[in-house]
């Protein structure tokens, strides 16, 4: 439920051999990175995970020079307890995969586990355990990215929802001076639960503030049905402007 940080795969260096300048490929480096952040509303696939309220977030990533990566990311949440469970206030995402390139196309494949430690959602009538495992694949060409995620388990507490999927189409435009603009459209299909299937849309303006600090403002909307996505009296798919601040190091 976030963007995975990876190192540059190729670095170019210029050297001189026998007095002649030649381009030499430097070996890519492995890296460990960390991030912490705060957001006015934790939206995932357009749906608020934090009852339209602020959330604290943070993660760690290891990117190997071969292209393999692993990481963990966490956030405070409210939706599990809002569904009637007695426990479940934290989400931890555990993931691993491989990134590479084939010509002008880059790709990313991996597996992601959404772990809600100690959650008791499965004890609530008409719900399954919240823990969810997905496999995913993404391809990027120029500024455009398409990603497909497929659930190997029940999906976010929906009963009999194995083999649900999410399709994500986005583009990232460099506006200069540290600004980026990212339009996005996605479709979440919940298997065997048509009312829980929906589309989401967003437009995000990002700003690199320097020294690892970045800010974002996201306009988000969905056509999610109010029935399954209204918890504790709050419709979690409503239109909103979400502001975030993140520090990476």
């Amino acid at each position: 439920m976030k963007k995975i940080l990876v190192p540059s795969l190729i670095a170019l260096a210029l050297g001189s051999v026998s007095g002649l300048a030649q381009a030499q490929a430097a070996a890519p480096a492995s890296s460990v990175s960390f991030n912490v952040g705060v957001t006015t509303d934790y939206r995932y696939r357009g749906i608020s995970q934090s009852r339209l309220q602020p959330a604290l977030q943070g993660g760690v990533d290891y990117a190997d020079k071969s292209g393999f990566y692993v990481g963990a990311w966490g956030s405070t949440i409210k939706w599990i307890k809002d569904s009637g469970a007695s426990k479940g206030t934290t989400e931890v995402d555990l993931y691993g995969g491989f990134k590479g390139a084939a010509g002008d196309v880059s790709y990313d494949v991996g597996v992601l586990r959404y772990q809600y430690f100690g959650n008791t959602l499965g004890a609530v009538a008409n719900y399954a355990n919240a823990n969810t495992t997905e496999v995913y694949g993404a391809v990027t060409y120029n500024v455009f990215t398409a990603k497909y995620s497929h659930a190997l388990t029940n999906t976010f507490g929906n009963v009999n929802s194995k083999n649900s999927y999410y399709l994500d189409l986005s583009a990232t435009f460099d506006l200069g001076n540290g600004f980026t603009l990212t339009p996005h459209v996605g479709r979440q299909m919940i298997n065997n639960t048509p009312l829980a299937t929906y589309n989401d849309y967003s437009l995000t303006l990002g700003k690199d503030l320097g020294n690892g600090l970045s800010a974002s403002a996201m306009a988000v909307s969905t056509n999610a049905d109010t029935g399954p996505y209204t918890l504790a009296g709050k419709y979690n798919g409503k239109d909103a402007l979400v502001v975030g601040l993140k520090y990476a190091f």
Side-chain angles (χ1 to χ4, degrees), residues 146-220:
K147 182 177 180 179
Y148 176 80
S149 302
H150 189 92
L152 303 179
T153 64
N154 283 326
T155 306
F156 306 127
N158 289 282
V159 176
N160 297 324
S161 58
K162 182 180 178 180
N163 294 320
S164 297
Y165 68 81
Y166 185 73
L167 181 60
D168 178 339
L169 303 175
S170 64
T172 301
F173 299 98
D174 185 350
L175 303 181
N177 296 318
F179 286 97
T180 57
L181 187 66
T182 304
H184 152 89
V185 60
R187 179 166 180 79
Q188 175 70 74
M189 193 283 290
I190 301 297
N191 201 20
N192 295 316
T193 310
L195 280 179
T197 296
Y198 66 93
N199 300 328
D200 71 284
Y201 320 90
S202 66
L203 183 65
T204 303
L205 179 66
K207 170 61 175 174
D208 183 352
L209 302 173
N211 298 315
L213 193 63
S214 62
S216 63
M218 176 179 67
V220 58

Side-chain angles (χ1 to χ4, degrees), residues 17 39 62 68 78 94 102 109-110 142 145 150 154 159 171 205 213 230 242:
V17 178
T39 179
Y62 170 74
F68 285 99
K78 294 183 181 293
L94 306 171
V109 293
N142 200 340
T145 297
H150 189 92
N154 283 326
V159 176
L205 179 66
L213 193 63
T230 297
V242 177

Side-chain angles (χ1 to χ4, degrees), residues 1-6 33-35 42-44 57-61 69-73 93 95 99 108 112 136 138 140 143 145-147 166 168-173 180-185 202 204-206 214 216 218 246 248:
M1 296 183 179
K2 31 73 69 218
K3 295 186 180 292
I4 300 172
L5 301 177
V6 296
S33 60
F34 303 86
N35 65 87
Y42 171 25
R43 291 287 180 124
Y44 186 63
Q57 302 172 335
V60 57
D61 293 277
Y69 62 85
V70 294
W73 181 89
D93 301 343
Y95 48 86
K99 272 201 168 187
D108 179 9
L112 171 58
Y136 58 85
T140 298
V143 300
T145 297
K147 182 177 180 179
Y166 185 73
D168 178 339
L169 303 175
S170 64
T172 301
F173 299 98
T180 57
L181 187 66
T182 304
H184 152 89
V185 60
S202 66
T204 303
L205 179 66
S214 62
S216 63
M218 176 179 67
K246 183 171 72 173

Side-chain angles (χ1 to χ4, degrees), residues 25-46:
S30 301
S31 67
V32 177
S33 60
F34 303 86
N35 65 87
V36 293
V38 62
T39 179
T40 58
D41 182 7
Y42 171 25
R43 291 287 180 124
Y44 186 63
R45 297 177 179 174

Side-chain angles (χ1 to χ4, degrees), residues 1 10 24 36 51 56 118 130 196 207 211 234 238 246:
M1 296 183 179
I10 300 176
Q24 297 177 325
V36 293
R51 200 196 305 144
L56 296 175
K207 170 61 175 174
N211 298 315
K234 300 287 187 178
K238 67 183 296 184
K246 183 171 72 173

Side-chain angles (χ1 to χ4, degrees), residues 48 64 68 110 119 130 174 209 226 231 248:
S48 177
D64 189 75
F68 285 99
N119 87 86
D174 185 350
L209 302 173
T226 55
L231 302 172

